[in-house]
Amino acid sequence: MSGDDSLSRRALLQAVAGAGVASVAGCSAFEGEPDGTATPVDGERARALAERFAPTLYFDRHEPWFPTDPRPYASERDGETVVDGFDAFDGYHERAAADAPPDPTVFYHAVEYADSPLAVVQFWFYSAFDQFTTNFHWHDWEVLHVFVDTGGESGGGETADASAADPQLYVASSHSRKVPNNEFLDPDPEMVPRILSELGSHSSALSLNDVPDRFSRLPEGDRLADITNSAIETIEDIAAIPVAYGLPRDEGSRLPYLVPEYEGAPLYEHDRLPSVGREDLVPEALTVRSFDSLAAPPSSLPTRETGLVFQHAGRDDPDADIEYDLVSTGEIEHIADFTGPQLSFEFAVPSFAEDAIAGHITTTGAPWNQPRYENPAADITEPNHRAALAERYDAIGAPAAVRTVVASLAAAVSDDDAPDGEGVTTEDTSVESVALLESDPEAVPTFSGLAVVRDVPAGEHRFTVNGAGVAPHSETVSVPEATDGGPTRAGVDGEIPLVARENALRLEVDPTTVDDDLTDLAVEDDFGGRLYDAPLSGPDAVYVHAGGAYTAEVRDSADEIGAFRVNPDPDAGAAARIEDPRTGKASLASFLADIAEETRAAVAAQAAEATDGGGSANAITGLERALGAVVEAARRATERAEAGDRANADKQLQAVADRLQRVATRLDEASDALSDPLSRAARKRLEQANRRTEQAQNADKL
């Protein structure tokens, strides 16, 4: 990230930490209150509401699985009616034609809250399969909740007819409860709801402005945004991102899909799927075989194009391609379950052993077994929307505080202002990734480069980010019991830099090799600043860009600090290891000797190339000698500290501090003679050395 964009994204996330009443993905100052009891609306009224608000559905040009009726694939098993995944997947493709998907169907269910005019009509969309970037599974159920005011005291009176119903809130499902839904408060009652279905996953984005087949997260001129979810609470003049999943491929993001496998082979090769071929899945142009099969994130994935448009058979939109039947869920509630063997999805974790955490995948169940079926308010993920309904209707409880983990993803790249191979910066990434709390089985996709995981229990969690062509990132995050400080930010100030695999170097730290009780690990680059800062409890590793120059910092339980210089060698393999991660004066003094010698050697190399034998050469030589004096004093300080001689160690550290002041003077004198990259690098390293010298002088531990 660079320039104003970097400031905006990072400042935005810094502001999150200080927001006492944050509205990020479910944070609220209110204590949660229970909702009132909801009961089914009777048949005729439910049908009338469903016909009034039946949505128009827009699908991607490459979509393989359209909303259909699961009943043709049902079977009896142990006295219950079930829909088997193999049967539905194969049966759907056996019956499908290129321009005529089988049994286009949308199911509806309506409930009303007792002693309230508030009712909800739900539209449930069943697909035979789900293929996405976070996972894939048999069956898929998505839902649109339309909250309406029927105008009656109890919702069941004479005034409660469908034509008088006034829509209050749309809630469109987005993957899982861990991902904020796409929601819109107070929609235009004259507009037919529109759903933009995400390719493969069928996550439902809303379309409510005058561009029917495109999703807009933010308003543009006179055009409304397609969601009213609140933004991350921030400060004036800082860009804000409304927290909802949206539709990434409509927002310019690249989204690579994975090929589903079962028992080590592509799923379409299974002998129980004779009607399914590779051509029946998401096209190859959008898929990768695995996230780690690429050296770098994909750069040529196609963006979304609208394909088939579905409308309710009672509508007359001339632009629609397919008419769907509107069927009550009461006709399929006899189906006890939707089954199928679990398909795995792996997350690589940057530990020493490169362990994989497999099986983090969610499969759908029957809608009528879910809490949101009986109480649709349970699916409201935006606290301000729930608060608005709670103000209008006693049946809706005030929002509860929800613990959330949030991070902004960036790409670590070489910094053009640094010496070659000695500095990195971060920039926006347009390839979406996947986030996972290892304590939870639901992987969540990022949107607009943001990872947001809701409903996180208090305590320690391992937060892992994976993406196509990038090395995995993993860190421990501590989620507090209280939420009044806003969401928990992963990364550094909420930012996580990811490294393309072709440039990734694994930096390993093993705290078990020293007696110090190490508790934290941080990594910073001379130009990119602090890139990693997280708790350390056992052998761990961080992926960094091989083109950087790094300082690794460890802390122990006594808050003592150790620092270590890491200069990646591209010829030395894909890993670097801190062999003796100690804390205290000796560690910090040794670091000072290393960073001063590294800078001295670079200055000496430039002095050897100088053709001017006058003042410029003299200035460079003076800087080199000043740095050499720092190296000498820092080495003596290291020796004294290792020998247990505190007084003389501190004396030599004071000499280091004095000599660094001389380095600053000599650097000013030589700045015109040095190359711009080396001059900038030397100044950044001088800042680092001054800071570490002060830490060494203040250290209690030798």
Side-chain angles (χ1 to χ4, degrees):
M1 205 174 297
S2 61
D4 293 339
D5 289 340
S6 174
L7 175 65
S8 297
R9 181 70 63 82
R10 182 164 289 197
L12 181 151
L13 286 156
Q14 287 173 338
V16 168
V21 183
S23 54
V24 177
C27 291
S28 170
F30 298 102
E31 292 297 324
E33 297 175 355
D35 299 316
T37 301
T39 57
V41 174
D42 67 55
E44 287 188 12
R45 289 176 52 242
R47 178 76 189 188
L49 283 170
E51 290 179 348
R52 160 86 190 276
F53 294 103
T56 299
L57 312 174
Y58 293 76
F59 290 91
D60 191 285
R61 184 169 68 89
H62 299 296
E63 178 60 56
W65 305 290
F66 297 99
T68 191
D69 190 335
R71 286 176 290 184
Y73 319 114
S75 59
E76 296 299 312
R77 182 179 301 173
D78 299 326
E80 292 184 327
T81 302
V82 300
V83 178
D84 177 83
F86 282 107
D87 292 345
F89 195 11
D90 192 71
Y92 179 89
H93 284 285
E94 182 182 28
R95 302 172 63 225
D99 57 351
D103 306 316
T105 307
V106 170
F107 295 91
Y108 69 89
H109 174 63
V111 298
E112 57 191 349
Y113 288 91
D115 302 319
S116 173
L118 186 65
V120 186
V121 57
Q122 302 173 328
F123 298 94
W124 291 91
F125 318 109
Y126 170 79
S127 301
F129 196 74
D130 180 300
Q131 180 186 354
F132 191 48
T133 189
T134 55
N135 59 32
F136 20 80
H137 53 79
W138 314 98
H139 320 291
D140 192 30
W141 280 105
E142 303 294 340
V143 64
L144 167 66
H145 307 278
V146 178
F147 290 77
V148 300
D149 189 316
T150 60
E153 287 300 317
S154 65
E158 291 298 322
T159 60
D161 66 279
S163 62
D166 187 19
Q168 305 295 301
L169 176 68
Y170 293 159
V171 175
S173 57
S174 296
H175 293 288
S176 74
R177 286 284 297 169
K178 297 297 181 184
V179 183
N181 286 327
N182 299 304
E183 304 178 10
F184 196 100
L185 185 68
D186 294 328
D188 181 352
E190 303 303 318
M191 178 179 287
V192 174
R194 297 190 299 254
I195 291 293
L196 307 179
S197 181
E198 184 169 44
L199 173 64
S201 80
H202 315 114
S203 172
S204 297
L206 292 168
S207 170
L208 295 171
N209 58 38
D210 57 2
V211 183
D213 67 341
R214 286 291 180 270
F215 174 80
S216 298
R217 183 177 298 273
L218 296 168
E220 300 177 17
D222 295 334
R223 184 188 306 164
L224 295 173
D226 286 319
I227 51 174
T228 55
N229 295 60
S230 61
I232 294 176
E233 191 162 315
T234 183
I235 58 178
E236 189 176 359
D237 297 330
I238 298 298
I241 302 174
V243 182
Y245 179 69
L247 197 60
R249 290 177 65 228
D250 248 22
E251 300 178 76
S253 295
R254 294 190 293 273
L255 194 65
Y257 286 70
L258 292 170
V259 176
E261 293 188 358
Y262 178 58
E263 296 181 336
L267 185 59
Y268 54 81
E269 294 180 359
H270 199 281
D271 57 10
R272 288 191 61 187
L273 298 173
S275 303
V276 179
R278 175 64 187 88
E279 68 280 3
D280 295 312
L281 276 62
V282 171
E284 292 187 54
L286 281 157
T287 53
V288 297
R289 292 309 300 261
S290 66
F291 278 174
D292 61 2
S293 65
L294 301 175
S299 58
S300 60
L301 297 172
T303 56
R304 190 180 74 87
E305 295 181 48
T306 300
L308 295 180
V309 179
F310 282 52
Q311 69 173 354
H312 169 43
R315 304 240 185 258
D316 58 358
D317 185 346
D319 294 330
D321 303 293
I322 304 290
E323 291 187 344
Y324 63 78
D325 290 333
L326 201 54
V327 177
S328 169
T329 56
E331 297 188 25
I332 56 172
E333 286 183 2
H334 64 284
I335 299 175
D337 203 1
F338 294 80
T339 66
Q342 182 163 321
L343 307 173
S344 65
F345 178 71
E346 295 188 350
F347 271 76
V349 178
S351 66
F352 285 3
E354 291 295 330
D355 296 330
I357 299 173
H360 286 78
I361 193 166
T362 55
T363 54
T364 188
W368 33 96
N369 296 331
Q370 302 173 20
R372 60 182 175 173
Y373 187 73
E374 294 182 351
N375 177 24
D379 219 18
I380 302 173
T381 58
E382 167 55 54
N384 292 340
H385 292 164
R386 174 177 272 275
L389 290 192
E391 225 176 89
R392 301 173 190 179
Y393 306 102
D394 292 339
I396 302 301
V402 178
R403 300 179 194 90
T404 303
V405 175
V406 60
S408 172
L409 305 187
V413 298
S414 294
D415 192 330
D416 293 338
D417 290 336
D420 187 29
E422 297 183 27
V424 301
T425 185
T426 57
E427 63 183 21
D428 285 339
T429 174
S430 61
V431 178
E432 301 295 349
S433 296
V434 180
L436 173 74
L437 285 176
E438 293 173 16
S439 57
D440 195 285
E442 295 187 30
V444 302
T446 64
F447 54 89
S448 299
L450 285 175
V452 177
V453 186
R454 292 170 34 86
D455 293 343
V456 179
E460 297 286 312
H461 299 270
R462 193 74 175 174
F463 182 73
T464 300
V465 177
N466 219 357
V470 298
H473 171 96
S474 191
E475 65 175 81
T476 299
V477 295
S478 181
V479 179
E481 189 72 36
T483 61
D484 53 1
T488 298
R489 294 174 302 153
V492 177
D493 293 330
E495 182 177 84
I496 294 176
L498 300 177
V499 185
R501 284 185 172 271
E502 62 186 359
N503 300 319
L505 173 112
R506 191 172 65 250
L507 174 59
E508 301 175 348
V509 179
D510 187 353
T512 64
T513 62
V514 295
D515 293 333
D516 303 323
D517 180 21
L518 301 183
T519 58
D520 294 272
L521 169 67
V523 178
E524 56 187 70
D525 174 77
D526 288 351
F527 283 75
R530 189 157 289 212
L531 303 173
Y532 182 89
D533 193 348
L536 178 68
S537 59
D540 207 349
V542 181
Y543 278 107
V544 296
H545 194 289
Y550 301 98
T551 297
E553 176 189 284
V554 295
R555 287 181 180 264
D556 63 23
S557 55
D559 208 29
E560 295 284 353
I561 298 170
F564 311 87
R565 194 62 175 162
V566 180
N567 289 287
D569 180 358
D571 299 325
R577 188 169 184 178
I578 299 173
E579 295 294 346
D580 189 19
R582 298 170 296 156
T583 57
K585 288 184 189 293
S587 169
L588 290 164
S590 177
F591 167 81
L592 289 167
D594 289 343
I595 196 170
E597 172 57 26
E598 176 186 338
T599 310
R600 186 207 65 78
V603 171
Q606 190 158 121
E609 297 172 358
T611 58
D612 178 5
S616 295
N618 290 337
I620 294 178
T621 300
L623 175 59
E624 179 191 352
R625 288 174 179 170
L627 286 164
V630 172
V631 174
E632 181 182 357
R635 286 176 176 167
R636 285 200 295 266
T638 304
E639 292 169 358
R640 302 297 184 268
E642 289 176 339
D645 186 350
R646 179 182 298 276
N648 280 313
D650 285 340
K651 181 179 178 180
Q652 291 302 321
L653 285 169
Q654 184 57 51
V656 169
D658 294 340
R659 293 176 184 185
L660 284 172
Q661 300 228 352
R662 178 165 293 187
V663 168
T665 300
R666 295 289 183 257
L667 182 55
D668 286 339
E669 295 170 352
S671 59
D672 290 339
L674 295 174
S675 68
D676 287 344
L678 179 54
S679 178
R680 284 189 288 264
R683 292 186 186 282
K684 291 179 180 295
R685 293 171 192 166
L686 179 60
E687 293 173 6
Q688 179 85 235
N690 283 325
R691 178 159 52 97
R692 300 300 177 183
T693 299
E694 184 178 354
Q695 291 173 345
Q697 290 175 312
N698 294 333
D700 290 329
K701 180 185 173 186
L702 289 171

